[in-house]
Amino acid sequence: MARLKYFTSYLITILLVGLYHTAMAQDGTITGKITTAGGKQPLAKASVFLNNATFGTTSADDGTYTLRGVKPGQYQLVVTSVGYQEDVQTIMVSNKTLTLDIDLRQKSMMLREVVIMTDADWKKNYEIFKQDFIGTSENSKKCYVANPRVVSLSYKSSKKTLEAYTDEFLVVENRALGYRVKYMINDFKTDKLNGIVSYEGRALFEQLPGSESQKQKWREKRKEAYYGSAKHFFRSVYSDTFEEDGFIVKPFVREMNPARAPEELIQRKIKQFSTTNRDSANYWINMSNMPKYYHEMLGKEALKLNQFFFKTNDPGIFGMGVNKYMLYVIYTKKHEETNFRDLYRPLDMENFETSVMTFSKPVLYFDMNGRVLQDPPMLEGTWSKAKLAELLPLDYMPGD
C-alpha cells in the first residue's frame, strides 16, 4: 500500500509538471547576437549558457547563438568571454522564441589579494575546499576534478576560514550522476568555527558519454539524489503534492544560549590557555560543549500549504514564509544516517531525514524549477550535506 501511494504521488507530480509544460509548449528557443563596442563588433566563441542547467553553446563567427529545446521556466542566461565582463540576465522561457542581443563590455582590471603559500599548504587547503565544495559522500568519491590548479585559495587561521575563487571554469566529472560540471566560482567561503559553507557562481552541466546500461545506472543515482532534496521539496510545494511526496512541514523557533560565548572567542581562549592554564582551558572547553541554543520549540501540528506558501503575480514565481523565518522539514521516505549535533530532534520522532531552513528575510522566493531566486536560506541537517556531488541541473526531471 505504501509503495502504491508513493507511485501515485509520483504520477501526480509528473502530471502537474507535465500539464504546466504542455500549456507553455514543452520546449523553447533562445537566440540572439553577442557584440562589443556598443553593438558594432560581433564577438565569436563567447560562452552562452543557462546557469545550473544543461543548455550551453558558443557564439559563431558572426556573434550569433541559439539554444534550442529549453524546458519552460525561469533561468539565468550567462554570457562570458575572456577580457569581458560577465553578463547575466534573468529570463522566462516559454513556447515563443526569445531573442536577446547582448553587448559585452571590456573588463576593468580588478586585482584580487595575492596569497603566497607553499605547495604543501595549497594541497592542504585544497583538500578542505574539495570536502566542503564537492562533498564527502559516496558520490563525491566518483567525482574527478580535471583542473584543480585553477582554484585560488586563502586560509585565515585566526578565524578558521577558507576562501576560494576561480577565473575560469573548474571542470568536475561526476561519474556517479553522469554529468560534467563546469563551475565558475565567484566566491566561496567555509567558516569552520560556525560550521557554515557558502558559495556563489555559475555552472553548466554536460551529459557524460556512456553505454545504455551505464546511463540507466546514472538515471537511478539521479533519482536517489533528487527524492527528498530541497529541489524536490520546492517543486512538490508549488504543485501541492508535498504531503503525498512524503514531506512534513512544521514551524520551528529557537533562541541562542545566552550563557555560551561566541564560537570564535571560545576557540581563541582554548588555544590561548591550552599550554599555560589547564583550569582556564577546561572552562572554555566545557563552554564549547554547551548547547548553542537555550530554547527550541517545534510546532506540534504540521503546516498546511496556505500557512507557508503563496503564489505571486509573476508566472512561475512563488513565495514561502513563516513567523520567525524558520521551517522544519521532515522527509518520511528516507532515514538519516548522520548524527547532527546541533539539530533538534524530538525523542519520539522516527529517524527520518530532517532539515531546517532559516530565511534571511521574511519571504523566500523560488521558481518552478525549485531554484531560490535570491537570499538563499541557511540549511541545517540533511540538506546541508548536499554538495556538488549531489547537484542536479535546474532542468532535471526524474527519469532524465
Side-chain angles (χ1 to χ4, degrees), residues 237-239 305 309-314 316-320 365:
V237 166
Y238 87 73
S239 59
L305 186 69
F309 167 82
F310 62 93
K311 296 180 180 179
T312 73
N313 293 327
D314 297 322
I317 306 300
F318 312 98
M320 183 181 293
Y365 293 98

Side-chain angles (χ1 to χ4, degrees), residues 46-86:
S47 295
V48 185
F49 62 95
L50 299 182
N51 187 28
N52 284 318
T54 57
F55 299 96
T57 187
T58 56
S59 57
D61 290 342
D62 62 354
T64 59
Y65 72 93
T66 302
L67 297 174
R68 293 187 176 89
V70 181
K71 293 180 180 179
Q74 179 169 287
Y75 299 89
Q76 287 182 320
L77 180 70
V78 183
V79 182
T80 65
S81 185
V82 177
Y84 293 89
Q85 293 182 23
E86 174 188 76

Side-chain angles (χ1 to χ4, degrees), residues 320-348:
M320 183 181 293
V322 288
N323 189 28
K324 300 296 184 183
Y325 316 158
M326 298 183 76
L327 282 181
Y328 192 95
V329 183
I330 305 165
Y331 185 60
T332 60
K333 297 185 183 295
K334 290 182 183 178
H335 289 90
E336 181 56 69
E337 299 176 354
T338 303
N339 180 27
F340 297 101
R341 174 186 169 188
D342 294 316
L343 182 69
Y344 174 80
R345 184 185 290 274
L347 295 177
D348 60 348

Side-chain angles (χ1 to χ4, degrees), residues 51 69 80 128 138 142 188 208 213 220 256 279 383 393 396:
N51 187 28
T80 65
I128 297 173
E138 287 301 312
K142 295 184 179 181
F188 170 94
L208 288 177
S213 61
E220 293 303 316
M256 299 298 294
D279 289 340
W383 290 346
Y396 170 81

Side-chain angles (χ1 to χ4, degrees), residues 262-285:
E263 189 66 30
E264 183 177 349
L265 176 61
I266 292 174
Q267 296 303 320
R268 189 168 68 245
K269 292 295 185 180
I270 291 175
K271 183 177 180 180
Q272 176 184 346
F273 294 118
S274 60
T275 58
T276 60
N277 189 320
R278 176 169 296 187
D279 289 340
S280 295
N282 287 337
Y283 170 83
W284 290 101
I285 290 172

Side-chain angles (χ1 to χ4, degrees), residues 133-247:
F133 184 67
I134 297 177
T136 58
S137 65
E138 287 301 312
N139 285 350
S140 71
K141 296 175 183 177
K142 295 184 179 181
C143 288
Y144 169 73
V145 182
N147 55 345
R149 286 290 178 173
V150 304
V151 182
S152 296
L153 299 161
S154 173
Y155 182 72
K156 296 181 174 62
S157 58
S158 60
K159 295 186 176 181
K160 293 188 178 181
T161 58
L162 178 69
E163 298 180 2
Y165 69 89
T166 64
D167 286 325
E168 59 183 275
F169 283 114
L170 178 70
V171 181
V172 181
E173 287 194 0
N174 187 338
R175 296 169 183 172
L177 300 183
Y179 293 114
R180 178 182 295 109
V181 186
K182 297 179 177 180
Y183 210 108
M184 182 77 74
I185 304 173
N186 295 335
D187 184 43
F188 170 94
K189 183 177 181 179
T190 178
D191 180 347
K192 292 299 183 183
L193 286 179
N194 298 295
I196 298 174
V197 178
S198 60
Y199 57 89
E200 188 273 330
R202 319 291 180 201
L204 171 63
F205 287 76
E206 298 173 351
Q207 302 277 357
L208 288 177
S211 64
E212 187 52 42
S213 61
Q214 179 62 71
K215 291 179 180 179
Q216 181 57 35
K217 291 179 181 178
W218 286 337
R219 283 191 284 269
E220 293 303 316
K221 292 297 289 185
R222 291 170 187 178
K223 288 180 183 179
E224 185 180 318
Y226 175 75
Y227 287 115
S229 67
K231 184 191 299 291
H232 181 202
F233 171 70
F234 283 119
R235 288 179 174 181
S236 69
V237 166
Y238 87 73
S239 59
D240 194 12
T241 61
F242 73 98
E243 292 176 317
E244 294 92 332
D245 286 351
F247 291 104

